[in-house]
């Protein structure tokens, strides 16, 4: 059974004139009290069904429109209609709101080209100013904060993106082309996509969906049958500029990590190894006479990187295999801290979940022999390109 319970939080924002002497004739003005109403939604999809009507009715009040005003005092939209207007969703009773970094920034590096003003508009028409707590261009995530006093807040629950299955039903809520509180539904089309971030590093394990995602949906939630956020809608693949059934969401596990660090420190630091790898597939492994079915074949090692300092070797020769150039002779990284690499959970995905300064153990195949190399991860460079 679907159940929603409302929690009323104590007063914020007191206004008083004079001082209270206990005398009604003292001229003291009565204190004005404003409250924040928080609605916690529970039980959606508990019977195993997918009910878009219930998801929308209960959770759409927690989805907001984000309006960004950049230098010059005008809301700027790029050629795709994005950049100045997007979507977001409420995280908690304190007024924290999640959205995409590209909705509130115009640059690649964290803090670069931030909007001068940001407003959050709720389903009931309330539009309030918001502070950018921090942004993470590597995951395309930003954390906003509004003053909760006087607002009706419906926090959305963060789920998990670790065990999603292709074919699961999903719902997307947002403001496509500025059309507030729009619902679209579909299924998970794939769970192992790599999409562009705002830097030169890609976002791994992105969710592909055929739920309609259009310009303006950016920053809004992708919800599962139980109404939990499993991703943040971020990109579309389109030839016409509109939704064509190929939309992408940032996986919520990456989003949660980013939001947590943004709230704590205002920034997110990612571990950096400094290699370019090619994920093995069976035919390539046989062609190179490798006795491992999976792993990352090191193509290049960045100079002065942690990988270079640890002695990781890149390829020295090059062959053409199945219409692609392949650098050969380099190390094959087969596991990180004992966790075996696969084509869907490759080296970039594993390292991206780690932090600068963390020591990792790499299981490496070199010249037919296995060895273990320890590396201290550096900090991911901020530059793009």
């Amino acid at each position: 059974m679907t159940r929603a319970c409302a929690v009323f939080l104590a007063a914020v924002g007191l206004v008083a004139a004079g001082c209270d002497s206990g005398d009604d004739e003292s001229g003291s003005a009565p204190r004005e009290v404003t409250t924040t109403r928080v609605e916690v939604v529970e039980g959606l999809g508990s019977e195993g069904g997918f009910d878009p009507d219930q998801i929308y009715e209960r959770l759409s009040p927690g989805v907001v429109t984000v309006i960004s005003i950049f230098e010059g005092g005008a809301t700027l939209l790029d050629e795709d209609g994005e950049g100045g207007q997007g979507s977001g969703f409420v995280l908690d009773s304190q007024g924290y709101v999640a959205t995409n970094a590209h909705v509130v920034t115009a640059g690649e590096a964290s803090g670069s080209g931030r909007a001068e003003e940001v407003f959050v508009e709720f389903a009931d028409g309330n539009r309030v100013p918001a502070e950018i707590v921090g942004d993470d261009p590597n995951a395309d995530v930003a954390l906003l904060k509004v003053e909760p006093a006087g607002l009706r807040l419906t926090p959305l629950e963060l789920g998990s993106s670790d065990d999603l299955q292709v074919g699961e039903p999903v719902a997307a809520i947002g403001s496509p082309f500025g059309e507030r509180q729009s619902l679209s539904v579909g299924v998970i089309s794939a769970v192992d996509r790599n999409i562009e971030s705002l830097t030169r590093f890609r976002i791994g394990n992105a969710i592909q969906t055929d739920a309609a995602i259009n310009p303006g949906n950016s920053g809004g939630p992708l919800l599962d049958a139980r109404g939990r956020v499993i991703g943040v809608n971020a990109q579309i693949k389109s030839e016409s500029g509109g939704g064509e059934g190929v939309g992408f969401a940032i996986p919520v596990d990456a989003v949660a990590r980013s939001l947590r660090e943004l709230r704590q420190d205002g920034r997110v630091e990612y571990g950096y190894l400094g290699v370019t790898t090619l994920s093995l597939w069976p035919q390539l492994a046989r062609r190179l006479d490798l006795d491992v079915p999976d792993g990352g074949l090191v193509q290049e090692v960045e100079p002065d990187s942690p990988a270079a300092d640890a002695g990781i070797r890149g390829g020295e020769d090059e062959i053409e295999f199945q219409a692609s150039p392949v650098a050969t002779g380099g190390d094959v990284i087969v596991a990180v801290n004992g966790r075996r690499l696969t084509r869907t959970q490759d080296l970039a995905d594993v390292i991206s979940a780690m932090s600068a300064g963390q020591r990792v153990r790499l299981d490496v195949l070199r010249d037919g022999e296995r060895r273990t190399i320890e590396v201290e991860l550096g900090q991911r460079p901020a530059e793009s390109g």
Side-chain angles (χ1 to χ4, degrees):
M1 176 177 291
T2 300
R3 178 168 63 89
C5 56
V7 180
F8 294 89
L9 298 187
V12 201
L14 304 178
V15 179
C19 56
D20 188 0
S21 64
D23 184 353
D24 289 342
E25 302 297 320
S26 67
S28 296
R31 293 189 295 180
E32 180 181 311
V33 177
T34 57
T35 62
T36 302
R37 180 178 177 180
V38 180
E39 295 191 355
V40 180
V41 180
E42 299 178 350
L44 279 173
S46 57
E47 297 177 1
F50 178 59
D51 191 339
D53 175 69
Q54 282 294 303
I55 289 175
Y56 185 82
E57 179 183 346
R58 299 297 187 183
L59 298 181
S60 63
V63 181
V64 302
T65 300
V66 179
I67 301 164
S68 300
I69 299 177
F70 292 86
E71 185 178 359
T75 302
L76 303 180
L77 301 177
D78 66 20
E79 61 185 7
D80 295 323
E82 291 264 21
Q85 179 265 313
S87 304
F89 57 93
V90 177
L91 293 167
D92 57 30
S93 62
Q94 299 176 56
Y96 285 100
V97 172
T99 187
N100 280 140
H102 77 257
V103 172
V104 296
T105 68
E108 292 89 356
S110 179
S112 174
R114 282 185 181 175
E116 292 188 344
E117 293 182 276
V118 177
F119 296 91
V120 168
E121 184 176 300
F122 291 83
D124 58 9
N126 265 322
R127 181 183 291 185
V128 296
E131 168 199 358
I132 303 175
V133 177
D135 64 273
D136 176 8
N138 285 291
D140 195 8
V141 171
L143 179 64
L144 310 180
K145 176 74 165 61
V146 301
E147 173 55 55
L151 299 177
R152 174 188 174 187
L153 300 179
T154 304
L156 272 56
E157 178 187 357
L158 299 184
S160 171
S161 51
D162 186 52
D163 56 355
L164 300 177
Q165 299 295 319
V166 172
E168 287 184 36
V170 291
I173 305 176
S175 302
F177 300 107
E179 301 295 340
R180 271 71 167 166
Q181 303 299 114
S182 297
L183 169 72
S184 63
V185 298
V187 298
I188 294 175
S189 304
V191 292
D192 59 349
R193 299 306 190 216
N194 291 312
I195 61 174
E196 300 296 329
S197 71
L198 303 184
T199 72
R200 65 187 175 98
F201 297 93
R202 295 171 69 85
I203 301 170
N205 292 323
I207 303 164
Q208 182 183 332
T209 179
D210 66 350
I213 306 295
N214 285 287
N217 276 109
S218 288
L222 187 68
L223 303 162
D224 66 9
R226 295 180 60 183
R228 299 171 300 186
V229 179
I230 58 170
V232 173
N233 301 317
Q235 297 179 19
I236 57 175
K237 183 172 287 188
S238 172
E239 295 183 357
S240 66
E244 298 181 5
V246 185
F248 300 96
I250 302 162
V252 74
D253 291 351
V255 172
R257 181 260 181 107
S258 181
L259 292 173
R260 181 173 60 252
E261 295 192 25
L262 288 175
R263 187 180 297 206
Q264 291 175 350
D265 304 317
R267 66 184 187 278
V268 184
E269 293 186 355
Y270 289 86
Y272 173 65
L273 182 59
V275 297
T276 301
T277 61
L278 178 66
S279 292
L280 287 176
W281 66 95
Q283 293 87 351
L284 178 60
R286 287 197 295 269
R287 170 67 175 79
L288 300 179
D289 196 26
L290 300 173
D291 64 354
V292 291
D294 297 296
L297 177 61
V298 179
Q299 301 292 282
E300 296 182 48
V301 177
E302 293 286 336
D304 302 319
S305 66
D309 292 343
I312 300 293
R313 296 181 183 176
E316 297 179 351
D317 300 315
E318 186 175 288
I319 64 170
E320 188 82 11
F321 184 72
Q322 295 183 351
S324 297
V326 177
T328 63
D331 290 337
V332 181
I333 302 174
V334 296
V336 179
N337 289 339
R339 180 179 181 180
R340 209 177 56 126
L341 301 179
T342 66
R343 286 189 59 79
T344 58
Q345 192 68 21
D346 61 17
L347 181 66
D349 295 332
V350 174
I351 297 298
S352 290
M354 298 179 173
S355 301
Q358 189 169 341
R359 295 194 66 84
V360 298
R361 188 179 70 256
L362 306 178
D363 293 339
V364 173
L365 182 67
R366 177 184 295 173
D367 298 329
E369 297 182 359
R370 292 179 181 262
R371 63 183 65 201
T372 298
I373 299 176
E374 287 198 358
V375 184
E376 181 175 330
L377 299 178
Q379 184 174 333
R380 180 180 286 187
E383 73 272 9
S384 65

